[in-house]
Structure formats: C-alpha cells, structure tokens
Amino acid sequence: MKTKFTIITVLFLSITGINCFSQIAGTAHDFSSETWAPAENKMCGVCHTTHNAMNEPSAPLWNHESTAVAGYTLYSSPTFDNHGGTTITDPSASSKLCLSCHDGTVALENFGGVTTGTTYIGSGSLIGGAGGDDLSKDHPISFEYTDALAATDGGLFTPSSAASGLGGSIQEDMLFNNKMECASCHDVHNKYSISHLLKISNVNSELCLTCHNK
Ligand code: HEC
Ligand code: HEC
Ligand code: HEC
Ligand code: HEC
C-alpha cells in the first residue's frame, strides 16, 4: 500500500513537473515565508533569476550578491596529496555560491541588486569561522579528485569507474569539472530528501565510504 502511494505520488510529481518545488519546500533553503522573500518568484528568486543575472562564473542565472571574502585560508595537512596538479584553490564554481550566504559576509536578503540587507546566516550554519574566511577546518573543496590522485593516495576509490550509488560514477554524480565542491556531498535543492541536505546518507559513514576506501 505504501509502495503504491509512493509510486502514485512520484508519478503525480513528475507529470505536474513540480519536483524542484516539492523538494525544496519546507527545507532550510525555503525562504518563501520570509518577509524579505521575492514577491513572485518566492522559492527560487533569492538564488536565481530569469533575467539580468549576476556575472558570476559558472553560476546558473545567479541572483545573490557574491561573498565579500577576497581570499580564504585553505585546507592543508601533511597527508593531503597535492599530486599531479591537484592543487587546492580558492572556492570555485558552485561552492562560491554557497559561501555567498554561508561564510556570513553577505546578508541573506542581498539578492536582485539589493545590498542593504541585515539578516545573516545563523551560527549553526556558518562555514569559515568568525571572519568567514577560514576553510582550513572543513573538508577540503575546490581541488581535482582524479584517477591519478586515487592511485597516488591508495585510500580513495577511482572516481571515473567507482559507482556513487546515485546511478553513475563518483565523477559523474559528485564532481564538477573533476573537482570536489560543497555540492559533491550536498544537494542545495534537497533532491534526495536526506537530512543536512546530503546526497547520500551518512548513517554508518556511508557518504564518506563512497569515496574513501577505508
Ligand atoms: C539557496 C539557494 C538556491 C535556491 C533557493 C534554489 N537554487 Fe537552484 N541552484 C543553487 C545552486 C548553488 C546551484 C548550483 C549547482 C548546484 O549546486 O547544484 C543551483 C542550480 C540550479 C539549476 C542547474 C543545475 C540543476 O540542478 O539542474 C537549476 C535548473 C536550478 N538551480 C533551479 C532552481 C529552481 C527552479 C529553484 C526554485 C524552485 C531553485 N533552483 C532554488 C541554489 C539555489
Ligand atoms: C541565499 C543564501 C544561501 C545560499 C546561496 C545557500 N544557502 Fe545553505 N542555508 C542558508 C540558510 C539561511 C540556511 C539555514 C540556516 C539557519 O537556519 O541557521 C541554510 C542551511 C543549509 C544547510 C543545513 C540544512 C539543514 O537541514 O540543517 C546546509 C547543509 C546548506 N545550507 C548547504 C548549502 C550548500 C551546499 C549551498 C550551495 C550549493 C548552499 N547551502 C547555498 C542559506 C543559503
Ligand atoms: C565531504 C562531504 C562534504 C563536503 C565537501 C561539504 N559538506 Fe557540509 N556537511 C557534510 C556532512 C556529512 C554534514 C552533516 C554532519 C556534520 O555536521 O558534520 C554537513 C553539514 C553541513 C552544514 C550544517 C548543517 C547542519 O544541519 O548542521 C552546513 C551549513 C554545510 N554542511 C554546508 C557546507 C558548505 C557550504 C560546504 C562547502 C564550503 C560543505 N558543506 C561541504 C558533508 C560535507
Ligand atoms: C565525493 C568524494 C568524497 C566524499 C563523499 C568524502 N571525501 Fe574526504 N576526501 C576526498 C578526497 C578526494 C580527499 C583528498 C585526499 C588527498 O588528496 O589526500 C579527501 C580528504 C579527506 C580528508 C583529509 C585527508 C588528509 O590527508 O588531509 C579527511 C580526513 C576526509 N576526507 C574525511 C572524510 C569524511 C569523514 C567524509 C564523510 C563525512 C568524507 N571525507 C567524504 C573525497 C571525499
């Protein structure tokens, strides 16, 4: 009975095309009931616009003001393998978009050209410490996770061939231009309905064990 209901619900959602709405609704990224939410494009407008998007590289029609941090303190450790061009860089692509809210340097309601907002992200979701610019205490992002790195490291699955569990390989499902980003582990739209907006549940460290062969 439960399966039947699920199948019918999924069918209904895919026919009506409201998948994204139903995924994001009620999550931490549903700003629709905030007084500062856009009047019309309530579910998406804080982050995306259809016209006159920001000139943010690799950003999908981006509408939110960029982070104010010019250079972050990056992750480093004696065992982090910087081999074969796998250099860690300042956050790129979608990670930079996350940090536009999550490093706490830009107000949440600074979108669509507004720059005078006063509501900042709560401390429980702040990444980058008090100044917002310290990424040295977080899982490394914005570096290439290649087959060569896996071979050198010895404790990582081969990204081009190892299954992610999401339908394709790690490379296809979790990397962006071969790079690790925030969105390697998280789905900003809550596509998978897993707590902390994760792509793979981390019960029994399942998420970690997708890439780390430990
Ligand atoms: C909290 C910010 C945020 C909200 C709200 C949001 N998005 Fe996104 N969206 C992103 C980010 C960041 C990306 C960049 C790629 C990624 O991380 O998945 C993205 C990527 C996308 C993409 C391109 C990649 C893909 O997943 O297909 C589409 C299309 C998209 N969003 C549509 C929407 C729509 C439609 C809504 C509203 C129902 C919405 N988004 C709400 C942040 C947001
Ligand atoms: C427009 C601002 C904005 C953008 C852009 C944004 N977030 Fe968030 N995010 C928030 C807010 C606000 C919260 C809730 C914070 C709170 O209540 O403390 C949140 C919460 C979260 C949470 C916690 C979810 C939970 O259920 O506890 C995660 C994980 C997260 N965001 C990841 C991301 C990632 C990854 C990206 C980029 C792909 C991103 N966010 C982009 C504003 C944003
Ligand atoms: C390697 C996987 C991974 C990467 C990369 C990653 N996260 Fe997370 N994140 C997690 C896991 C797992 C949790 C939940 C458990 C925890 O808090 O440690 C989490 C928790 C969070 C939370 C707190 C949510 C809560 O409910 O307490 C936020 C906000 C968040 N991540 C945002 C980000 C942002 C922004 C980035 C990129 C700068 C990022 N994450 C990169 C795996 C990751
Ligand atoms: C999408 C793949 C992926 C996921 C998921 C992932 N990691 Fe990683 N992680 C990597 C890669 C690649 C490196 C870089 C390894 C290197 O170059 O030494 C790394 C680095 C690390 C490091 C630092 C290693 C060092 O030598 O400094 C730790 C610790 C770590 N990950 C723990 C975790 C934990 C815990 C989780 C689960 C919450 C997790 N990772 C999830 C891919 C991933």
Side-chain angles (χ1 to χ4, degrees):
M1 193 58 200
K2 211 174 172 189
T3 339
K4 237 185 192 166
F5 178 74
T6 312
I7 291 168
I8 289 166
T9 312
V10 168
L11 264 177
F12 170 76
L13 292 178
S14 44
I15 289 165
T16 50
I18 56 169
N19 273 332
C20 198
F21 178 82
S22 62
Q23 289 159 3
I24 211 166
T27 69
H29 286 161
D30 175 358
F31 306 117
S32 58
S33 57
E34 302 287 354
T35 49
W36 47 264
E40 280 185 30
N41 190 10
K42 280 187 171 299
M43 298 298 290
C44 323
V46 175
C47 294
H48 304 285
T49 179
T50 36
H51 300 289
N52 299 319
M54 310 264 304
N55 200 11
E56 194 66 75
S58 341
L61 294 170
W62 199 243
N63 202 26
H64 199 270
E65 190 187 341
S66 308
T67 168
V69 174
Y72 292 87
T73 305
L74 305 176
Y75 180 89
S76 75
S77 92
T79 48
F80 182 80
D81 295 315
N82 268 337
H83 295 286
T86 306
T87 311
I88 194 161
T89 64
D90 247 12
S92 48
S94 58
S95 298
K96 207 181 156 203
L97 307 181
C98 310
L99 290 165
S100 72
C101 291
H102 281 277
D103 71 13
T105 59
V106 173
L108 298 175
E109 66 268 52
N110 283 8
F111 60 91
V114 172
T115 54
T116 53
T118 51
T119 316
Y120 291 85
I121 197 136
S123 58
S125 296
L126 184 68
I127 305 281
D133 58 355
D134 185 0
L135 296 179
S136 67
K137 301 179 181 70
D138 299 281
H139 192 287
I141 52 156
S142 297
F143 66 95
E144 284 192 349
Y145 172 14
T146 58
D147 291 359
L149 174 67
T152 314
D153 187 273
L156 290 165
F157 290 108
T158 306
S160 71
S161 54
S164 71
L166 298 171
S169 66
I170 292 172
Q171 193 177 62
E172 286 163 340
D173 297 335
M174 303 177 87
L175 304 182
F176 301 80
N177 293 328
N178 291 329
K179 285 184 168 184
M180 285 285 299
E181 303 291 352
C182 308
S184 296
C185 299
H186 295 285
D187 189 280
V188 70
H189 308 119
N190 190 38
K191 181 172 176 188
Y192 303 98
S193 294
I194 297 172
S195 59
H196 310 291
L197 303 172
L198 290 173
K199 290 167 96 163
I200 295 171
S201 158
N202 207 28
V203 175
N204 297 323
S205 304
E206 199 187 323
L207 172 68
C208 318
L209 292 169
T210 304
C211 303
H212 291 276
N213 187 3
K214 296 285 182 211

